[in-house]
């Protein structure tokens, strides 16, 4: 020990630890670091040791507190929907539903209600990527003046299973396999398809899951659905069935499969970043809020059961009435405190909204409250700021429990009580008129473990979905089935799926069998005959989303010697049309434009591939282009943009690079040096006509 005799030399804060250069000290008492219990710290660089080179001392409560808190920073991730991103915003009612409900949030036109909305993938862990083929969660917490309303939905209007008792099996089958711990966030594996083949009720959802709906381009470009059927209840306690819808202003849009795979590598946080940046730059995403309303008689007249969550109600049969809008305009301040600790509960409903007997929903009414106990660790999770009912105070006689943050006053922790008669506070009371009341539908029957006969038709809606798609979307769906089943090693499982597909549509089954190079089996027995329903064009994406640059991303690749006026003109035109623009260059330090000006890019070529953009432009010089011919990242930039059906604007100097990337001229390949605006039309959509030339689809 260097200081074995006498007291060790006392180091002053300016000389200790990290060399002093980065040692920052508080200038006022307000900015002092403290322990969790408020004791000011003198040194956050060094633990307490027996001499400068000696062992650390148990006495060091500063070190112990800091390390112990760190050791416990993580909480269990959500068992499903673990990976998510969220934002704050508001809901505004534009049309009253007073005839159907007494819920103030649906009757007070113009009133703005704070919301917190979390989007998520389902299967992957919290650290998985943003763009697997997966259903997306769409959970909205509305802080209404009559308590929180959590509309916990998905971006697909139906679900895999009809009864909550199958949920653990479904999730076990889709998540990583039990022995090997993979694949992460992917349905393309044996156990998932084994389960699906044996659960024909999942076939309709499989049509959606294999469509481009599970490859959203952006969280801002997803539709949202309440999925389960709910009820609205008016002043007279008359009930109306309701389905809830969110429709994005930017339209539902998707990436392609190859693109999604490449995005996963280029930017695993693609959706999270996109949402954060859009809100950060004031491009607030917006959704219309709509309802489908139907009476008991109208529900009874439908050829399917509205309590079955594997069925949807086509808009063409029951139109969606738009009654409100949601705008997300504020990013969370702290991901953990808000996004991670948010607890959504389908049981959170204000008076005037109620559940239906949908057996999937009934199970959810238990599950969400229950799961918060293991995730957030206490029955008091409703006291966390993000979960508090901000629109109105909560008050009841629940008391104590882990992490109780309230200091209740008085003696009334039971009810009824007559403390008020003695001049004391008797506490809150029930409100028979304004409080939550349950619908009183007539019920019948004996206790049974049975599936209703009306749930037996497993294929008509799958057929409806498939036949309602455009040819492009049908080809994508068939190709996705071929891809996923090709990752399933069990021939008997692939065969069973083909037999189920035969019930959906003979042509689809044939295409998938051909894609697998397998003989087409006979249709599997079906529990009920498959009906032909009228096609529902509303179920498409292609041809439905608005062709606009609004909300889209444009990447402009530049080299030394490029013409700065072309870059400026392109940027101005694209930004003017609502796009966000990023400049990409071979080196992050910048390029020297023609005329000598330096342009500093937003991204470096190898780290900013074209998959991150909806359309790209190449503003190159002759020399710059010649150099890029030897750079595979540049060739990939262009060839990927081409095969991902994107518009490519270019200066004439970029032609050799276009040739090397095998780009064939079409309406999406435009020369922009004289007319930047020529780029805007093709950049506002995908070049669907190009697809058959670049991809063999099933
Ligand atoms: Fe969920 N679901 N779920 N789910 N779900 C959860 O709750 C569950 C279902 C949905 O951003 C869990 O707090 C059961 C349908 C979303 O925090 C858990 C069943 C729909 C989210 C749970 C379903 C959803 C969840 C996990 C079948 C669309 C994320 C963590 C009966 C309407 C919410 C948590 C967020 C999360 C259970 C089926 C949507 C375990 C038992 C159908 C968007 O409670």
């Amino acid at each position: 020990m260097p200081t074995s005799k006498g007291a060790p030399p006392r180091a002053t804060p300016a000389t200790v630890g990290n060399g002093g250069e980065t040692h920052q000290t508080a200038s006022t008492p307000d900015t002092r670091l403290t322990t969790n219990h408020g004791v000011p710290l003198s040194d956050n660089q060094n633990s307490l040791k027996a001499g400068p080179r000696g062992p650390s001392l148990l006495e060091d409560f500063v070190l112990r507190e800091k390390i112990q808190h760190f050791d416990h920073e993580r909480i269990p991730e959500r068992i499903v929907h673990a990976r998510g991103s969220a934002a704050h915003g508001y809901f505004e009612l534009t049309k009253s539903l007073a005839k159907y409900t007494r819920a103030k949030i649906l009757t007070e036109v113009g009133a703005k209600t704070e919301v917190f909305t979390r989007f998520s993938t389902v299967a992957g862990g919290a650290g998985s990527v943003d763009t697997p083929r997966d259903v997306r969660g769409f959970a909205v917490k509305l802080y209404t003046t009559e308590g929180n309303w959590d509309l916990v939905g998905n971006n697909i209007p139906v679900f895999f299973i009809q009864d909550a008792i199958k949920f653990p099996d479904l999730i076990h089958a889709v998540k990583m396999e039990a022995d090997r711990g993979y694949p992460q966030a992917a349905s393309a594996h044996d156990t998932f398809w084994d389960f699906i083949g044996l659960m024909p009720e999942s076939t309709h959802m499989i049509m959606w899951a294999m469509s481009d709906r599970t490859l959203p381009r952006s969280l801002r470009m997803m539709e949202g659905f309440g999925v389960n059927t709910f009820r609205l209840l008016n002043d007279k306690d008359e009930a109306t069935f309701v389905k809830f819808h969110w429709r994005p202003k930017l339209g539902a849009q998707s990436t392609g499969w190859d693109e999604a795979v490449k995005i996963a590598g280029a930017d695993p946080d693609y959706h999270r970043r996109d949402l954060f940046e859009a809100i950060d730059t004031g491009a607030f995403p917006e959704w219309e809020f709509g309802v489908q309303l139907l009476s008991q008689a109208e529900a009874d007249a439908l050829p399917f059961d509205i309590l079955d969550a594997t069925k949807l109600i086509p808009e063409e049969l029951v139109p969606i009435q738009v009654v409100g809008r949601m705008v997300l305009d504020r990013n969370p301040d702290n991901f953990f405190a808000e996004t991670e600790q948010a607890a959504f509960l389908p049981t959170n409903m204000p008076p005037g909204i109620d559940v239906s007997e949908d057996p999937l929903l009934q199970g959810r009414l238990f599950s969400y409250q229950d799961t918060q106990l293991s995730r957030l660790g206490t029955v008091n999770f409703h006291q966390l700021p993000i979960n508090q009912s901000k629109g109105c105070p909560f008050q009841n006689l629940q008391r104590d429990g882990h992490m109780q943050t309230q200091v209740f006053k008085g003696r009334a922790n039971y009810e009824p009580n007559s403390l008020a008669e003695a001049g004391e506070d008797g506490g809150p009371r029930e409100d028979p008129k304004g409080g939550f009341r349950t619908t009183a539908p007539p019920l019948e029957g004996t206790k049974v473990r049975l599936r209703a006969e009306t749930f037996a038709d497993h294929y008509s809606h799958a057929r409806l979905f498939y036949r309602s798609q455009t040819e492009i979307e049908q080809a994508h769906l068939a190709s996705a089935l071929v891809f996923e089943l090709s990752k399933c090693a069990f021939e008997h499982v692939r065969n069973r799926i083909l037999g189920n597909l035969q019930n959906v549509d003979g042509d689809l089954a044939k295409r998938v069998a051909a894609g697998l190079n397998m003989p087409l089996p006979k249709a599997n027995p079906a529990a009920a005959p498959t009906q032909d329903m009228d096609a529902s064009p509303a179920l498409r994406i292609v041809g439905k989303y608005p062709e606009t640059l609004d909300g889209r991303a444009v990447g402009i690749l530049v080299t030394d010697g490029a013409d700065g006026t072309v870059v400026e003109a392109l940027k101005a035109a694209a930004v003017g049309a609502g796009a966000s623009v990023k400049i990409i260059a071979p080196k992050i330090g910048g390029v020297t434009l023609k005329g000598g000006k330096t342009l500093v890019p937003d991204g470096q070529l190898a780290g900013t591939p074209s998959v991150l953009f909806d359309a790209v432009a190449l503003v190159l010089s002759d020399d710059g282009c010649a150099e890029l011919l030897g750079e595979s990242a540049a060739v990939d930039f262009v060839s990927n943009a081409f095969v991902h059906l994107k518009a490519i604007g270019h200066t004439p100097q970029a032609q050799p690079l276009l040739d090397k990337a095998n780009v064939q001229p079409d309406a999406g390949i435009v020369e922009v040096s004289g007319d930047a605006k020529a780029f805007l039309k093709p950049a506002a959509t995908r070049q669907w006509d190009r697809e058959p030339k670049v991809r063999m689809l099933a």
Side-chain angles (χ1 to χ4, degrees):
M1 294 263 288
T3 53
S4 55
K5 271 192 220 150
R10 257 189 117 77
T12 62
T15 61
V16 288
N18 56 16
E21 298 92 341
T22 58
H23 194 82
Q24 297 160 339
T25 53
S27 51
T28 65
D30 290 353
T31 60
R32 290 192 302 210
L33 266 173
T34 71
T35 65
N36 281 339
H37 304 278
V39 177
L41 301 186
S42 63
D43 183 342
N44 189 37
Q45 320 304 323
N46 302 290
S47 50
L48 190 67
K49 299 179 210 69
R53 300 179 61 248
S56 299
L57 298 176
L58 182 61
E59 177 191 329
D60 190 353
F61 62 88
V62 178
L63 171 74
R64 277 190 287 114
E65 181 197 82
K66 186 172 176 182
I67 296 280
Q68 187 171 47
H69 197 276
F70 171 75
D71 290 345
H72 298 267
E73 269 179 10
R74 295 289 169 272
I75 58 172
E77 65 178 34
R78 290 167 175 83
I79 175 72
V80 284
H81 296 266
R83 182 168 179 82
S85 312
H88 297 272
Y90 62 88
F91 172 82
E92 186 181 7
L93 192 73
T94 50
K95 192 181 151 201
S96 172
L97 289 174
K99 199 172 145 203
Y100 306 98
T101 179
R102 62 194 176 102
K104 291 207 171 98
I105 179 145
L106 296 179
T107 55
E108 293 182 343
V109 172
K112 282 190 179 173
T113 302
E114 261 188 72
V115 303
F116 185 69
T117 299
R118 181 174 181 270
F119 306 103
S120 47
T121 55
V122 179
S128 58
V129 297
D130 275 352
T131 57
R133 177 178 292 283
D134 199 358
V135 182
R136 297 304 191 280
F138 194 122
V140 185
K141 189 181 281 293
L142 301 106
Y143 301 94
T144 91
T145 53
E146 299 172 297
N148 289 351
W149 177 27
D150 293 357
L151 190 45
V152 195
N154 280 342
N155 75 330
I156 288 178
V158 291
F159 202 62
F160 292 95
I161 49 169
Q162 297 172 323
D163 190 312
I165 201 164
K166 297 311 296 169
F167 192 64
D169 299 296
L170 166 74
I171 299 305
H172 287 173
V174 71
K175 281 217 172 212
M176 51 197 192
E177 296 189 5
D179 55 352
R180 56 212 68 187
Y182 62 79
Q184 176 68 256
S187 53
H189 61 109
D190 293 338
T191 56
F192 178 70
W193 286 100
D194 183 29
F195 179 77
I196 291 302
L198 294 165
M199 296 287 293
E201 70 199 51
S202 67
T203 312
H204 183 201
M205 181 69 168
I206 284 298
M207 294 294 112
W208 286 81
M210 295 300 114
S211 80
D212 294 345
R213 296 271 177 165
T214 43
L215 308 172
R217 155 64 183 86
S218 160
L219 302 173
R220 302 173 291 134
M221 301 173 193
M222 296 196 314
E223 292 179 346
F225 304 90
V227 180
N228 302 113
T229 299
F230 289 84
R231 283 188 172 93
L232 297 180
L233 218 53
N234 67 13
D235 274 335
K236 292 184 218 130
D237 281 348
E238 292 160 340
T240 306
F241 288 116
V242 60
K243 290 272 191 190
F244 296 114
H245 297 257
W246 298 105
R247 298 205 302 205
K249 218 174 132 194
L250 299 173
Q253 298 191 42
S254 295
T255 67
W257 170 242
D258 181 63
E259 206 181 345
V261 169
K262 287 172 176 157
I263 292 171
D267 186 1
D269 307 302
Y270 181 65
H271 284 151
R272 181 172 288 185
R273 190 187 310 277
D274 169 274
L275 181 68
F276 193 93
E277 285 184 357
I279 293 175
D280 215 34
T281 55
F284 303 138
E286 184 172 336
W287 285 261
E288 285 177 344
F289 176 70
V291 289
Q292 281 177 299
L293 299 171
L294 60 175
S295 65
Q296 182 72 57
E298 285 163 328
D300 291 344
L302 291 171
F304 51 88
D305 196 330
I306 61 160
L307 299 185
D308 173 358
T310 67
K311 308 293 193 312
L312 56 80
I313 306 177
E315 281 179 46
E316 289 80 0
L317 287 184
V318 181
I320 297 178
Q321 304 181 37
V322 174
V323 298
R325 67 188 193 113
M326 171 172 73
V327 178
L328 298 181
D329 60 0
R330 183 162 65 85
N331 281 314
D333 290 319
N334 184 276
F335 185 87
F336 180 83
E338 302 179 271
T339 311
E340 194 59 16
Q341 292 199 121
F344 292 88
L345 310 171
T347 34
N348 278 355
M349 286 167 290
I353 301 177
D354 198 6
V355 300
S356 73
E357 292 75 44
D358 170 346
L360 194 70
L361 177 58
Q362 293 280 319
R364 297 181 72 204
L365 301 179
F366 162 72
S367 178
Y368 291 65
Q369 174 79 23
D370 181 52
T371 203
Q372 309 311 338
L373 292 185
S374 52
R375 222 166 66 69
L376 298 169
T378 164
V379 284
N380 289 318
F381 66 86
H382 59 284
Q383 296 184 19
L384 292 168
I386 195 66
N387 296 327
Q388 276 171 25
S389 53
K390 294 184 205 167
C392 66
F394 79 89
Q395 46 190 0
N396 55 40
L397 304 168
Q398 264 94 273
R399 290 290 184 269
D400 308 345
H402 276 297
M403 307 309 286
Q404 177 57 261
T405 63
Q406 302 244 313
V407 183
F408 297 106
K409 293 200 171 126
R411 295 193 280 174
N413 59 0
Y414 61 97
E415 188 276 335
N417 68 59
S418 59
L419 297 188
E421 287 169 33
E424 292 191 28
D425 182 359
R429 297 285 193 248
E430 58 198 28
D431 173 3
K433 199 166 170 294
F436 183 88
R437 284 196 303 274
T438 299
T439 326
L443 296 177
E444 54 175 64
T446 56
K447 288 185 192 172
V448 287
R449 283 193 189 274
L450 273 183
R451 206 63 71 87
E453 268 304 307
T454 48
F455 283 33
D457 172 6
H458 297 147
Y459 296 110
S460 301
H461 278 231
R463 176 178 291 179
L464 163 73
F465 181 79
Y466 180 70
R467 294 191 180 166
S468 299
Q469 301 300 297
T470 58
E471 277 182 32
I472 298 165
E473 289 163 301
Q474 287 181 340
H476 290 185
L477 196 162
S479 302
L481 280 163
V482 171
F483 175 89
E484 298 256 326
L485 293 174
S486 298
K487 292 251 181 183
C488 171
F490 296 128
E491 198 183 334
H492 74 279
V493 170
R494 297 199 297 257
N495 217 38
R496 189 183 293 129
I497 300 285
L498 288 174
N500 287 351
L501 293 179
Q502 282 278 45
N503 288 318
V504 178
D505 183 278
D507 177 54
L508 172 64
K510 216 191 299 170
R511 289 165 89 160
V512 177
L516 297 169
N517 198 16
M518 283 177 66
L520 188 57
K522 283 209 184 69
N524 291 334
T530 309
Q531 313 290 329
D532 284 324
M533 296 171 69
D534 288 338
S536 168
L539 301 179
R540 298 172 182 166
I541 292 181
V542 174
K544 199 176 145 199
Y545 64 81
E547 298 204 351
T548 171
L549 267 162
D550 205 6
R552 300 180 136 237
V554 170
I556 307 178
L557 178 62
V558 297
T559 57
D560 281 336
D563 188 341
T565 57
V566 179
V567 179
E568 275 315 307
L570 267 175
K571 196 171 167 178
V575 170
S580 63
V581 174
K582 284 198 173 145
I583 305 289
I584 303 124
K587 293 181 183 165
I588 197 68
V591 293
T592 307
L593 296 171
K594 190 167 90 182
K597 244 173 103 181
T598 302
L599 178 61
V600 177
D602 303 294
Q604 187 260 342
L605 176 57
T608 321
S610 63
V611 289
L612 303 178
F613 303 103
D614 297 289
V616 297
L618 315 169
V619 184
L620 314 180
S621 63
D622 286 325
D623 289 349
C625 183
E627 263 185 46
L628 290 185
L629 295 180
E631 171 53 65
S632 67
V635 181
D636 288 350
F637 188 92
V638 180
S639 68
N640 275 326
F642 186 66
V643 300
H644 296 148
L645 317 181
K646 292 169 183 175
I648 305 179
H650 67 93
T651 53
Q653 295 84 348
Q655 194 58 48
L657 185 60
L658 292 168
D659 293 340
K660 181 142 192 199
N662 264 330
V663 171
Q664 314 297 318
D666 64 26
I669 313 299
V670 283
E671 213 274 285
V672 290
S673 48
D675 179 13
K677 292 220 164 87
F679 179 59
L680 299 184
K681 190 169 182 303
T685 185
R686 274 176 203 263
Q687 316 304 305
W688 295 113
D689 295 346
R690 192 188 292 159
E691 186 150 55
K693 293 178 213 145
V694 297
R695 194 164 293 124
M696 281 166 60
L697 291 165

